[in-house]
Every structure is written in structure tokens, then in C-alpha cells.
Amino acid sequence: MSMTLALAVAALSGFVALSYEILWYRLFAFAAGGTAPAFALLLGFYLYGLAAGGLLARRICRGKAAGASRQRLLALAAFTVAANAVGYLVVPALTSACTIGGCFIALPAVALSTVLLGATLPLVSHAAIPPDWQAGSRLSILYFANILGSAAGSLITGYGLMEWWPSSRIAVFIALVGLGLAAVFLRAGRAPAAAYVGLVLAAAGSVLATPRLFDQLYEKLLFKQRFRPELRFANTLENRAGVINIMPSGRVFGGGVYDGYARIDLVSDPNLLVRVVAIPAFHPQPKRVLAIGLSMGAWEQILANLPGVEHLTVVEINRGYLALIPRYPDVASLLHNPKVTIVIDDGRRWLNHHPDERFDLIVANISFHWREHATNLLSREFLELMRNHLAPGGVYYYNTTSSADALKTAFTVFPYGLRFMNFAAVSDSPLPFDTDAWRRGLEALRIDGRPALDLTDPAHQRRLDQILALADPAIAPPTGMPAPTVESREDALRGAGAARVITDDNMATEWRVWTLGAWDP
């Protein structure tokens, strides 16, 4: 094998290997609900496979297969075809494993694929580099080409293809690139025509099989053993920021976890909007408001229409929501509201880049505390950053998702605060909870010109009374919420007990949960 061919093969094999890893990680992380151990577990199997592939290549190079150059090239072609066949089938294997209740069963397929991929570079090196005084320099050049290919795989697949293509198309593209690499080996090894026919059939088979093998991919990964063929998402959007799935009911999933509803209904209230309409009880007239996170915009639709609000800035990391929101009437007008500015950026980065911005109210309906990167929005350092962006008397109101660590952190950093359901409201100024102000705010709340609660309707009047009654400690909170509904900072700190203060360094909530559980459809 010529050195020029070896360099091209090394780069291309690196591209394929890293592209597969990025694709696999997206889907394993989705199945795991974005828990931090998902990456560590996948990477462990991936690296184990690469190491085993290196050992396998050593044994091959010392054995009979190290004979004629043509034999080595044909063996490399066979390795490449096998590696891509297994790599392509990792995703269907994952979906099948999840539907029988054991997503982790698919991880050995990752290791098997990387065993074969990991053997490629050593075998190419053995075939292309003669054992002379230039062996070291040639090996370094070959290794550098592999690094460049790997970096290109990360950039092109992770930054480009995931923005433009669904996972099914990316999977078949990587498989076709890998089979193209095998074709290079076949040509260099002067393979018979039958080998090329087999390669073409393998490529055609992967293209034709993709629609069936990847059908209802995300439904299977999300619902797992509860999956049924009739469970289909009404909308699915994939981009490099993540995956958004929406059920026909309007229930939203972001990155494999519940992310609210694409509707506003204070009477049945499936997404507990009572938490956002409680804001007038402790801050009746916020003028400048910041929301970290948009999702499908139900919360922001209410925030923008709270009495007194003059401007709402929303920072959202995934622009995909902007393409989906217009499809849902309850939230569609948010994108045209002159009081609303939506910025696509990371929330923490945006705050750091706008040190002079001050807000009367900052709201963050944060995802579950056990997800990876949750520390970025729950840590002491982030709360100090929030404090610097509050105007005098300003309030930061955010979802602790019932984490004792998050509550303790909130009420340790700020001297004043209260808990409402699983939200913490914190400030440098005293925070009352005024039920009369709450009532006035609810009665005045209008969305798209219509009252959020039509008090001429007896059902809506009863619902208003039910909402206001939540301030009574004798009234049970909604299912799944801690009791009582409203709790003082001091009582919340006592209840937190031995919980830890979350910091950027300890990531206290991220490594306590490993979940592959199914969501209830």
C-alpha cells in the first residue's frame, strides 16, 4: 500500500469512527434522559473496543495474515465492511433493546464495532510502513492524518450533519462512507468483480433498510417497554442542539425528557402553569423580565402578559422551538409580540456577555436536576451571576425540580426567599406572599385578548378559588409536589437537612441518578 493511499485511509477511518461515536452518543443519551453517566458508559465501551482492536491487529500482523500485500488489503476491506455493518446496526439494536427494557444491552455492539474500527489504523500502518529508519516519522504522519479525520468527523457530523439531517440519514451516510473506504481497499488489492458486487448490494441494502429499521426511532427510545406502534409523535425536530418531540396531545419532550405542553389551559393545567401565574403573589408589577429557556413558549406566553410587564427577554439554546411554536395556536402569537425578544444562545454565556443588564424578574423553568449540565443552572456560582442581574427588589424564580440540594443552594446564597411547589423564589429583599395580589393578577391576566380565566364561567371561577386556596397550608398541593405548597425560606432550609450546596465543582445532583426508565405516554 502506498503512503498516499494510507494517509487517505487513515483520515477517512478516523472520520467514520468519530462520526459513529457522535451519532451513538446522541441516541444513548436520549434513551438515558440526558443523565451524566450515559456519556461515560458509552465512552468506556467505545475506548475498550478501540484498545481490543489494537490487540487484535497485533495478533493479525504477527500471524499468517501478515503475508502478501494483496491479502492484507483484502483483509482490511473485510474488516471495514464488518465494522460498518455493526456500526450501522448499533442504532436498531439500541431501539430493540429499549423496547424489551434493557437499553444497555446494545452497548456491546458499540464495543464490537470499535474493535473492528480500532484494528484499521494499526493494520494500515503495518501494510504501508516498511520497517526502516523512516518508520517512526511515517507512523507519526499517518497518526496525524487519522487525528485530522477524527476532528473532521466531529466537526462535520456534530456541527453540520446533525443540524441538517435526521439521525437515520446520518447513520446511512456514515455507513456508505465506510463502505466507500472498503472499496478503496478492494481496488488497491485488485479484488475480483464479485467483491464489488457484494459491496454495492451492501450499500443498497443499508439504504433500503433504513426507513424500516429507523421507523419510530425516538418513540421506541423514549417509551421503551411501554412502546406501542400507535404511539407516534405529531412533530419531531432534530438539530445539533438536541431533539424535540411533541405528542398529538401537545406534550413536549426535549432530549428524551418531559419538557412541558404546547398549550395553555389553567383549568385542567397539565403542565402546572399555576406555578407561573403565582408570580403576582410575590412580585405584582415586574416591568423588565428575563426568561432562561423557551421550550414551546407556554410559560413565556403568560410571562409576557402578566400585569405590568413591559418587556420580556427570552434566552433559548435550541432554535428548533422557533420552528415548532407557530404550529400551536396557544403559543404562536408569542413570536410576534412586540414586548418579546427571543435570543438563541446559552443562558449562562448570554448573562456573562451582558453584565449591565438588570431585570425586575428572572424566571427559569429548569429541566430535571439530575440531568447532565444541570449544575450550570443550579450552582452557587450561577445564582451569584443571577444576583448581579437583578434590579433592586428583583426576584429570581426557578424550578428546583424538588431537589433538596437545589433548595438549600438557593436559600443559602440569597437572604430572602420562599418555596412555591417545587420552585424557589429568591431575592435580596423581603418576599411576601400576598394572596390578594395573586387574585388581582389572575383576574387581570389576558392572553391574545382573552381572559386566562373567564370568571363568567362557573368552572373557571371554581378553578380560580382552587388556585388561590393553594396558599392555605391545610390544602394538599397537586400530585407530585411537596407539601405545603408555600413554604418560607427558613422552613425550607430546615427541611433540606444534610443536603449539599451545589457548586460548579461538585456537580452535586448530576451523578446520583442513572435512568433508563420509560416515560408514561
Side-chain angles (χ1 to χ4, degrees), residues 74-128:
L74 295 180
L76 277 168
F79 261 89
T80 304
V81 171
N84 279 277
V86 177
Y88 170 79
L89 292 173
V90 164
V91 175
L94 174 62
T95 58
S96 298
C98 285
T99 56
I100 62 173
C103 299
F104 62 91
I105 297 173
L107 285 169
V110 170
L112 177 58
S113 179
T114 54
V115 164
L116 300 170
L117 290 168
T120 302
L121 181 62
L123 291 173
V124 168
S125 301
H126 185 75

Side-chain angles (χ1 to χ4, degrees), residues 246-482:
I246 306 179
M247 297 293 291
S249 64
R251 192 178 189 189
V252 184
F253 293 91
V257 299
Y258 170 75
D259 201 21
Y261 274 80
R263 71 177 200 235
I264 296 172
D265 184 351
L266 292 181
V267 177
S268 63
D269 200 12
N271 45 340
L272 292 179
L273 293 172
V274 65
R275 294 171 297 176
V276 64
V277 299
I279 288 171
F282 53 82
H283 202 319
Q285 292 290 325
K287 293 182 179 179
R288 299 194 73 235
V289 180
L290 170 68
I292 303 294
L294 173 66
S295 185
M296 285 298 292
W299 279 60
E300 286 68 25
Q301 184 76 299
I302 291 175
L303 284 171
N305 290 281
L306 286 176
V309 171
E310 296 176 357
H311 190 265
L312 169 65
T313 301
V314 184
V315 182
E316 168 60 48
I317 198 169
N318 190 341
R319 69 174 63 251
Y321 288 110
L322 300 182
L324 293 171
I325 285 174
R327 305 179 191 181
Y328 293 87
D330 281 9
V331 293
S333 64
L334 178 71
L335 301 185
H336 309 290
N337 190 326
K339 294 194 297 183
V340 177
T341 300
I342 299 176
V343 180
I344 302 301
D345 201 350
D346 173 78
R348 192 160 178 169
R349 179 172 58 195
W350 186 89
L351 289 165
N352 281 319
H353 288 177
H354 297 80
D356 297 327
E357 294 282 358
R358 296 292 184 274
F359 300 92
D360 303 306
L361 173 69
I362 303 177
V363 178
N365 192 7
I366 296 167
S367 187
F368 296 100
H369 62 272
W370 40 259
R371 299 187 73 194
E372 60 184 350
H373 311 306
T375 297
N376 290 333
L377 299 175
L378 294 174
S379 69
R380 177 180 60 202
E381 291 83 354
F382 183 70
L383 290 178
E384 292 290 358
L385 179 62
M386 283 296 191
R387 168 181 261 161
N388 294 334
H389 287 83
L390 289 175
V395 178
Y396 177 39
Y397 185 53
Y398 73 104
N399 195 346
T400 67
T401 60
S402 301
S403 164
D405 294 324
L407 280 171
K408 185 167 186 175
T409 306
F411 297 135
T412 299
V413 172
F414 284 87
Y416 300 98
L418 57 88
R419 176 183 63 78
F420 182 81
M421 293 191 184
N422 58 357
F423 266 63
V426 290
S427 177
D428 285 323
S429 301
L431 280 184
F433 194 89
D434 188 337
T435 306
D436 291 334
W438 192 6
R439 176 185 290 276
R440 291 192 296 271
L442 282 167
E443 291 175 345
L445 180 61
R446 301 179 69 85
I447 298 172
D448 291 337
R450 300 186 303 272
L453 287 171
D454 182 359
L455 300 185
T456 63
D457 185 331
H460 284 230
Q461 181 63 61
R462 285 194 300 272
R463 179 55 179 159
L464 174 62
D465 295 337
Q466 290 171 356
I467 292 174
L468 297 174
L470 290 171
D472 184 345
I475 301 296
T479 303
M481 292 292 107

Side-chain angles (χ1 to χ4, degrees), residues 201-284:
L201 290 175
S206 63
V207 172
L208 295 174
T210 295
R212 182 176 180 83
L213 291 176
F214 286 74
D215 184 42
Q216 293 183 275
L217 168 65
Y218 287 110
E219 288 91 340
K220 294 172 182 175
L221 295 180
L222 185 70
F223 297 121
K224 302 178 177 66
Q225 64 270 27
R226 297 182 184 176
F227 168 77
R228 302 185 303 275
E230 61 270 23
L231 280 175
R232 283 191 177 272
F233 293 122
N235 286 293
T236 291
L237 189 148
E238 300 178 61
N239 60 22
R240 62 173 172 259
V243 182
I244 305 167
N245 308 107
I246 306 179
M247 297 293 291
S249 64
R251 192 178 189 189
V252 184
F253 293 91
V257 299
Y258 170 75
D259 201 21
Y261 274 80
R263 71 177 200 235
I264 296 172
D265 184 351
L266 292 181
V267 177
S268 63
D269 200 12
N271 45 340
L272 292 179
L273 293 172
V274 65
R275 294 171 297 176
V276 64
V277 299
I279 288 171
F282 53 82
H283 202 319

